[in-house]
Coordinates of all heavy atoms in Angstrom, one line a residue:
R1 N -9.3 3.9 3.6 CA -8.5 5.1 3.7 C -9.1 6.1 4.6 O -10.4 6.2 4.7 CB -8.3 5.7 2.3 CG -9.6 6.1 1.6 CD -9.3 6.4 0.1 NE -8.4 7.6 -0.1 CZ -7.8 7.9 -1.2 NH1 -7.9 7.1 -2.3 NH2 -7.0 9.0 -1.3
D2 N -8.3 6.9 5.2 CA -8.8 8.0 6.1 C -8.0 9.2 5.6 O -6.8 9.4 6.0 CB -8.5 7.7 7.5 CG -9.0 8.7 8.5 OD1 -9.3 9.8 8.0 OD2 -9.2 8.5 9.7
D3 N -8.6 9.9 4.7 CA -7.9 11.1 4.1 C -7.6 12.2 5.2 O -6.7 13.0 5.0 CB -8.7 11.6 3.0 CG -8.7 10.7 1.8 OD1 -7.8 9.8 1.7 OD2 -9.5 10.9 0.8
S4 N -8.4 12.3 6.2 CA -8.2 13.3 7.2 C -6.8 13.0 7.9 O -6.2 13.9 8.5 CB -9.3 13.3 8.2 OG -9.4 12.2 9.0
R5 N -6.4 11.7 7.9 CA -5.2 11.3 8.6 C -4.1 11.0 7.5 O -3.0 10.6 7.9 CB -5.4 10.2 9.5 CG -6.3 10.6 10.7 CD -6.5 9.3 11.6 NE -7.1 9.7 12.9 CZ -8.4 10.0 13.1 NH1 -9.2 10.0 12.1 NH2 -8.8 10.4 14.3
M6 N -4.5 11.1 6.3 CA -3.6 10.7 5.2 C -3.0 9.3 5.4 O -1.8 9.1 5.3 CB -2.4 11.7 5.1 CG -2.9 13.1 4.5 SD -3.4 13.0 2.8 CE -1.8 12.8 2.0
T7 N -3.9 8.4 5.7 CA -3.5 7.0 6.0 C -4.3 6.0 5.2 O -5.5 6.2 5.1 CB -3.6 6.7 7.5 OG1 -2.8 7.7 8.2 CG2 -3.1 5.3 7.8
L8 N -3.6 5.0 4.7 CA -4.3 3.9 4.0 C -4.1 2.7 4.8 O -3.1 2.5 5.5 CB -3.5 3.7 2.6 CG -4.1 2.6 1.7 CD1 -5.4 3.1 1.0 CD2 -3.0 2.4 0.6
Y9 N -5.1 1.9 4.8 CA -5.1 0.7 5.7 C -5.4 -0.6 4.8 O -6.0 -0.6 3.8 CB -6.2 0.7 6.7 CG -6.1 1.9 7.7 CD1 -6.9 3.1 7.4 CD2 -5.2 1.9 8.7 CE1 -6.8 4.1 8.3 CE2 -5.1 3.0 9.6 CZ -5.9 4.1 9.4 OH -5.8 5.2 10.2
L10 N -4.9 -1.7 5.4 CA -5.2 -3.0 4.8 C -5.5 -3.9 5.9 O -4.6 -4.3 6.7 CB -4.1 -3.5 3.9 CG -4.4 -4.9 3.2 CD1 -5.5 -4.7 2.2 CD2 -3.1 -5.4 2.6
Q11 N -6.8 -4.3 6.1 CA -7.2 -5.2 7.1 C -7.1 -6.6 6.5 O -7.8 -6.9 5.6 CB -8.6 -4.9 7.7 CG -9.1 -5.9 8.7 CD -8.3 -5.8 10.0 OE1 -8.1 -4.7 10.5 NE2 -7.8 -7.0 10.5
M12 N -6.3 -7.5 7.1 CA -6.1 -8.8 6.6 C -6.7 -9.8 7.6 O -6.3 -9.8 8.7 CB -4.7 -9.1 6.3 CG -4.0 -8.1 5.3 SD -2.3 -8.5 5.0 CE -1.6 -8.1 6.6
S13 N -7.5 -10.8 7.1 CA -8.0 -11.8 7.9 C -7.7 -13.2 7.3 O -7.5 -13.3 6.1 CB -9.5 -11.6 8.2 OG -10.2 -11.7 7.0
N14 N -7.8 -14.2 8.1 CA -7.6 -15.6 7.6 C -6.3 -15.7 6.8 O -6.4 -16.2 5.6 CB -8.8 -16.1 6.8 CG -8.8 -17.6 6.5 OD1 -8.1 -18.3 7.3 ND2 -9.4 -18.0 5.5
L15 N -5.3 -15.2 7.3 CA -4.0 -15.2 6.6 C -3.5 -16.6 6.3 O -3.7 -17.5 7.0 CB -2.9 -14.4 7.4 CG -3.1 -12.9 7.4 CD1 -2.3 -12.2 8.5 CD2 -2.7 -12.4 6.0
K16 N -2.9 -16.7 5.1 CA -2.4 -18.0 4.6 C -0.9 -17.9 4.3 O -0.4 -16.8 4.1 CB -3.1 -18.3 3.3 CG -4.7 -18.4 3.5 CD -5.3 -18.7 2.1 CE -6.8 -18.8 2.3 NZ -7.5 -19.1 1.0
P17 N -0.2 -19.0 4.3 CA 1.2 -19.0 4.1 C 1.6 -18.2 2.8 O 2.6 -17.6 2.7 CB 1.6 -20.4 4.0 CG 0.6 -21.1 4.9 CD -0.7 -20.3 4.7
E18 N 0.7 -18.4 1.7 CA 1.0 -17.7 0.5 C 0.9 -16.2 0.5 O 1.2 -15.5 -0.4 CB 0.1 -18.3 -0.6 CG -1.4 -18.3 -0.3 CD -1.9 -19.6 0.2 OE1 -1.2 -20.2 1.1 OE2 -3.0 -20.1 -0.2
D19 N 0.4 -15.7 1.7 CA 0.3 -14.2 1.9 C 1.7 -13.7 2.3 O 1.8 -12.4 2.4 CB -0.8 -13.9 2.9 CG -2.2 -14.2 2.4 OD1 -2.5 -14.0 1.2 OD2 -3.0 -14.7 3.3
T20 N 2.6 -14.5 2.6 CA 3.9 -14.1 3.0 C 4.6 -13.2 1.9 O 4.7 -13.7 0.8 CB 4.8 -15.3 3.4 OG1 4.3 -16.0 4.5 CG2 6.2 -14.8 3.7
A21 N 4.9 -12.0 2.3 CA 5.5 -11.1 1.3 C 5.8 -9.8 2.0 O 5.5 -9.6 3.1 CB 4.5 -10.8 0.2
V22 N 6.5 -8.9 1.2 CA 6.7 -7.6 1.7 C 5.6 -6.7 1.1 O 5.3 -6.8 -0.1 CB 8.1 -7.0 1.2 CG1 8.2 -5.5 1.7 CG2 9.2 -7.8 1.8
Y23 N 4.9 -6.0 1.9 CA 3.7 -5.2 1.5 C 4.1 -3.8 1.3 O 4.7 -3.2 2.2 CB 2.6 -5.4 2.5 CG 1.9 -6.8 2.3 CD1 2.5 -7.9 2.8 CD2 0.6 -6.9 1.8 CE1 2.0 -9.2 2.6 CE2 0.0 -8.1 1.6 CZ 0.7 -9.3 2.1 OH 0.1 -10.5 1.9
Y24 N 3.6 -3.2 0.2 CA 3.9 -1.8 -0.1 C 2.6 -1.1 -0.4 O 1.7 -1.7 -0.9 CB 4.8 -1.6 -1.3 CG 6.2 -2.4 -1.2 CD1 6.3 -3.7 -1.6 CD2 7.3 -1.7 -0.7 CE1 7.5 -4.3 -1.6 CE2 8.5 -2.3 -0.7 CZ 8.6 -3.7 -1.1 OH 9.8 -4.3 -1.1
C25 N 2.6 0.2 -0.2 CA 1.5 1.1 -0.7 C 2.1 2.0 -1.7 O 3.2 2.4 -1.7 CB 0.8 1.8 0.5 SG 1.9 2.9 1.4
N26 N 1.2 2.5 -2.6 CA 1.6 3.4 -3.7 C 0.4 3.8 -4.4 O -0.7 3.3 -4.2 CB 2.7 2.9 -4.6 CG 3.7 3.9 -5.1 OD1 3.3 5.1 -5.4 ND2 4.9 3.5 -5.2
A27 N 0.6 4.7 -5.4 CA -0.5 5.1 -6.2 C -1.0 3.9 -7.0 O -0.1 3.0 -7.3 CB -0.1 6.3 -7.1
D28 N -2.2 3.9 -7.5 CA -2.8 2.7 -8.2 C -2.2 2.6 -9.6 O -2.2 1.5 -10.2 CB -4.3 2.8 -8.2 CG -4.9 1.6 -8.8 OD1 -4.5 0.5 -8.4 OD2 -5.9 1.8 -9.6
S29 N -1.7 3.7 -10.2 CA -1.2 3.6 -11.5 C 0.3 4.0 -11.6 O 0.7 4.9 -10.9 CB -2.0 4.5 -12.5 OG -1.8 5.9 -12.2
A30 N 1.0 3.4 -12.6 CA 2.4 3.8 -12.8 C 2.5 5.2 -13.3 O 3.5 5.9 -13.0 CB 3.0 2.8 -13.8
A31 N 1.5 5.7 -14.0 CA 1.5 7.1 -14.5 C 1.5 8.1 -13.4 O 2.3 9.0 -13.4 CB 0.3 7.3 -15.5
L32 N 0.6 7.9 -12.5 CA 0.6 8.8 -11.3 C 1.8 8.7 -10.5 O 2.3 9.7 -10.0 CB -0.7 8.5 -10.5 CG -1.0 9.5 -9.4 CD1 -1.1 10.9 -10.0 CD2 -2.3 9.2 -8.7
Q33 N 2.3 7.5 -10.3 CA 3.6 7.3 -9.6 C 4.7 8.1 -10.2 O 5.5 8.7 -9.5 CB 4.0 5.8 -9.6 CG 3.1 4.9 -8.7 CD 3.4 3.5 -8.9 OE1 4.5 3.1 -9.3 NE2 2.4 2.6 -8.6
A34 N 4.7 8.1 -11.5 CA 5.8 8.9 -12.3 C 5.6 10.4 -12.1 O 6.5 11.1 -11.9 CB 5.8 8.5 -13.7
V35 N 4.4 10.8 -12.3 CA 4.1 12.3 -12.3 C 4.4 12.8 -10.9 O 4.9 13.9 -10.7 CB 2.6 12.5 -12.6 CG1 2.2 14.0 -12.2 CG2 2.3 12.3 -14.1
C36 N 4.0 12.1 -9.9 CA 4.3 12.5 -8.5 C 5.6 12.1 -8.0 O 6.0 12.4 -6.8 CB 3.2 11.9 -7.6 SG 1.6 12.6 -7.9
E37 N 6.4 11.4 -8.8 CA 7.7 10.9 -8.4 C 7.6 10.2 -7.0 O 8.4 10.4 -6.1 CB 8.7 12.0 -8.3 CG 8.9 12.7 -9.6 CD 10.0 13.8 -9.5 OE1 10.1 14.5 -8.5 OE2 10.7 14.0 -10.5
M38 N 6.7 9.2 -7.0 CA 6.4 8.5 -5.8 C 7.4 7.3 -5.7 O 7.2 6.3 -6.5 CB 5.0 8.0 -5.7 CG 4.0 9.2 -5.7 SD 2.3 8.8 -5.8 CE 2.0 8.1 -4.2
E39 N 8.3 7.3 -4.8 CA 9.2 6.2 -4.6 C 8.6 5.1 -3.8 O 7.7 5.4 -3.0 CB 10.5 6.7 -4.0 CG 11.2 7.8 -4.7 CD 11.9 7.3 -6.0 OE1 12.2 6.1 -6.0 OE2 12.1 8.1 -6.9
W40 N 9.1 3.9 -4.0 CA 8.6 2.8 -3.2 C 9.3 2.9 -1.8 O 10.5 3.2 -1.7 CB 9.0 1.5 -3.8 CG 8.3 1.2 -5.1 CD1 8.8 1.4 -6.4 CD2 7.0 0.7 -5.2 NE1 7.8 1.1 -7.3 CE2 6.7 0.6 -6.6 CE3 6.0 0.3 -4.3 CZ2 5.5 0.2 -7.1 CZ3 4.8 -0.2 -4.8 CH2 4.5 -0.2 -6.2
G41 N 8.5 2.7 -0.8 CA 9.0 2.8 0.6 C 9.7 1.5 0.9 O 10.0 0.7 0.1
Q42 N 10.0 1.4 2.2 CA 10.7 0.2 2.7 C 9.8 -1.0 2.7 O 10.2 -2.2 2.7 CB 11.2 0.4 4.1 CG 12.3 1.5 4.2 CD 13.6 1.0 3.4 OE1 14.0 -0.1 3.6 NE2 14.1 1.9 2.6
G43 N 8.5 -0.8 2.7 CA 7.5 -1.9 2.8 C 7.5 -2.4 4.2 O 8.3 -2.1 5.1

C-alpha cells in the first residue's frame, strides 16, 4: 500500500489458470465495510 497516494497494490507472479477471477479490493473486515458503507467496486 501507498497511503500517500491512497492506493493498494497486488503484485502477482507465476500466474496460474486457477487465478482466473474478478479481483476486488475492500476493507479487511465486514464490520469496517459496514461502518464505512464501502460498496464493492466493479473489480
